[in-house]
Amino acid sequence: MSLDYDRKDCFVVNGKLALPYSYFAGRVGSKFITTIRDQKKIMGVKCDKCNKVFIPPRQTCERCLEDIRNNWVELGNIGEVVNFTVVRYNDGHLPRKAPYILALIKLDGADTPFAHILDGLKPEQVEIGMKVEAVFADETTNTILDIDHFAPSKTKKVQVSERAPAEKAPAAAKIEPQPGLDERRKAMSRKVIITAALAGAATMKNQNPAVPYSPQEFAEEAYKCYKAGAAMVHVHAREDGGMATHDHARIKATYDAIRGKCPELIVNMSSAVGMGKTAEQRISQIIHVKPEMASLNTNTMNFSLLDRKTGKIFIDFVFENTFTMLQNFGKAMEENGVKPEIEVYDMGGLDNTMLIMKQGFFSEPMNFNFVWGVAGGQAFRPDAFLCLKNAIPAGANFTTCGVGNDQFPAVTMSCLVGGHMRVGLEDNIRIPNGEMAKGSYEQVEWAVRIAECQGREPATPDEAREIMGLKKR
Amino acid sequence: MAHRKKNKNVGIIGIGQTKYSSHREDVNQPEMIHEAVKAALEDAGITMNDIDCVVHGNMELFEMVHQPDLWHVIGTGAYGKNCIRITTGGTVGATIACAADNFVASGMYDIVMAIGFQKLQEGHTTGGITNMADPLWFRNLQTGALTGSKAYDVIREFGEERGKRASLMYRIIMDKHACLNSLAHRAFGLEFEQIDELIRTSPKLVGDLKLIDMCSQSDGACAVIFAEEKKAKKISKKPVWIRDHITIHREETFNIFGYDEKFPVQTTMRVAAENLYKRNGIGKPLEYFDVFEMYDPASWWALDWLRDFFLLKGDEHLRLVENKDIMIGGKMPINPSGGVIASNPISATALIRVAEAALQIRGDAGKHQIPSPVRHALASGFGGTMWTVLMMLEKELNW
Ligand SMILES: [Zn+2]
């Protein structure tokens, strides 16, 4: 039916509304946005009364009217698509060119889903129930688009699956000795593995300019250490600004740069990453990159910054490593072919490992690293060292590292009693005479000298692989 | 106008207000609303479970968030409840009080909570008003919420000297009241000696409307709980009864000011007052009421409207001001709270008039409580194109 009326001379006023406004996000909303912006972390709040975790966060549970503004829960970056639609028309106000997917995503640990853009797959590939992961924006806008979009998750969630106990290694006596094996063992016992911890999470360029931040700097520094005699490098990836990062892309780029520059070197990655990272952030990057080796921490402990002279506290921090994390991280590493380097800060940490290892998932030989001088761990003492050495399972290897002044005495002792050595700017920025180290490689040179004094020689990376039970290249 | 008696009597049993201020960056909208809701529930001594319906009042264009009643459920407590949103401009707060009263009086709900709020710092009120004005006649000419017409009217009738001094006198009395109300937004500590100086120095906005004459832009929320007679008496020791209310509209825009002597327009204030008093048998409103919480957007308007609301003649209204009869302790205290000139979170503003009138009847207004007993109170609401809401509140159920 056509509209039958006279439109002649009817005037139409055309206009446009554009009004300025501000939005006060409030304290709770502000924290949500700034945590995404500054820490790339998504936070929710939990109502203890109805046990619901809300995202976006709010001051009040609208069901119980409980004040929940301070009950923050970190949710990690992985979730599940609970519903979606496909935007199929283009319009100026839309954030993407059509077609694109708008999904309702429920983050792991949250009870409420929220809407975001789902990218990285075709509209016909999206499924309810699929795992997706937040991808953070390079440039912040202080909006929900600081999460640029979600993409199909490449990270497998750490599965704590029931698994059959590992086959017990046959008793040593029953092994038919292969001809020449003893000979070989003897030769190998003379070899000492030198590891260079290039950066750590906390040492900054203003303390020692040789601390690498960029993938390129990591590669150059690793290469120099390799040339100086290191068989392995230990890596915490950094952002350009120097902050320790759990960003998969950056960690992979750092790893790839080192491997590209010196393919022979063993890369041992940190599963501690840096202060305040979640369990998920700490282990997912290891599974993503699958290095030959990764650190595995054994106890929850203070891990703080104190003035060594006055005892004044600068930064107080609790480094969380529960039994469950020790178990889950250990299993995840073993399942993904990553050999754990078991970090022992004191006898308690070693005993924790001795308990968990009864589950049988650690492959032999186990490799320990005794860490000295952390504010929250124990300071280096030769007798304590011997206690640790004597307590580890038979057949296990050990290396050692020490913070600051503990570095060289500890590695000297380790070398002396048959262990290996870790040096590097992560632990200490100087060389034994007190001068600033030109790089981790200069400390490697000192470690080589210590070995030579004791009649031992640096292991090549391949020899190190053999000693520590890594797969042959 | 047909008007029927209430099916049920309705009493105010709970009142909650936030502090009124220019900025509340620390809370978002639902969080700020929740402060008032919590205070009202505590004042009534009930929980959200007792509330049958929530009436939500807000001018969404002023903050640029659509469907605010939905976004705000987190703060209003309306989750899973009957909830109705009302948007009537400046009168929103009064309209939600009327709606809540009607809902309870009709028997639809036993207990209803009315919530008015605004965060004016988030939006652009004058931009909103200008952009909403009739596009053909007024959009390009609107001065937003600011108008100098009443200054013009008063000066024309009573002369510049007397008009300006009376307007400033009213303004300073309001400031003195605001200084007694800890929730008020603007309380400058003005003195009567400053009248001449302020007339000279305060920047002019439109015509003879000066910055000092004009109301504030505030952030804040107010919640008031209404209950039917039986429950009101059971829950509250001092329920305040809603006797009656009236809302009067008139024609729009160009004809509102009544400049043309051949085509005079009646003001909605006077029409509302005349009708309301007539049907309630009140002959001398100035004697009947003990206190009046008036929606006073600017001192010039307030001055002029006193004549309409109390059905006065000649310069009686100016003399009320000049003799300080409108001060706390005077013959007819106006806005012991400091009024809209002190605090104006728009959609809460008219509800605050009802809330403050009720607090005066209860005797719970604190430092700005008027010293003589309050049995009958009046509250008004006002909207930008001159419509009026008037509400009568009573201490006793005896009319
Ligand atoms: Zn709850």
Side-chain angles (χ1 to χ4, degrees), chain A residues 20-25, chain B residues 20-27 29 32 61-64 117-126 185-186 215-220 344-346:
Chain A
Y21 68 93
S22 330
Y23 176 77
F24 293 4
Chain B
Y20 304 112
S21 64
S22 63
H23 285 252
R24 281 303 300 274
E25 284 95 338
D26 60 321
V27 283
Q29 295 170 20
M32 190 186 70
L61 193 67
F62 292 171
E63 285 120 355
M64 310 296 280
F117 98 99
Q118 207 86 54
K119 287 189 87 184
L120 285 178
Q121 284 300 328
E122 296 193 14
H124 194 267
T125 319
T126 284
H185 169 187
R186 297 193 306 176
C215 63
S216 65
Q217 289 202 67
S218 312
D219 287 2
N344 184 26
I346 291 179

Side-chain angles (χ1 to χ4, degrees), chain B residues 164 167-172 174-175 186 188-190 194-195 197-205 208-216 297-300 341-342:
Chain B
K164 285 183 174 174
S167 171
L168 250 296
M169 175 72 90
Y170 178 92
R171 178 66 189 88
I172 290 174
M174 288 308 112
D175 189 64
R186 297 193 306 176
F188 297 122
L190 299 176
Q194 290 173 269
I195 286 180
E197 184 201 335
L198 285 169
I199 290 173
R200 215 174 48 246
T201 57
S202 180
K204 285 185 178 179
L205 299 173
D208 274 305
L209 176 74
K210 298 181 293 300
L211 190 59
I212 190 68
D213 304 325
M214 191 62 195
C215 63
S216 65
S299 53
W300 289 105
I341 285 185

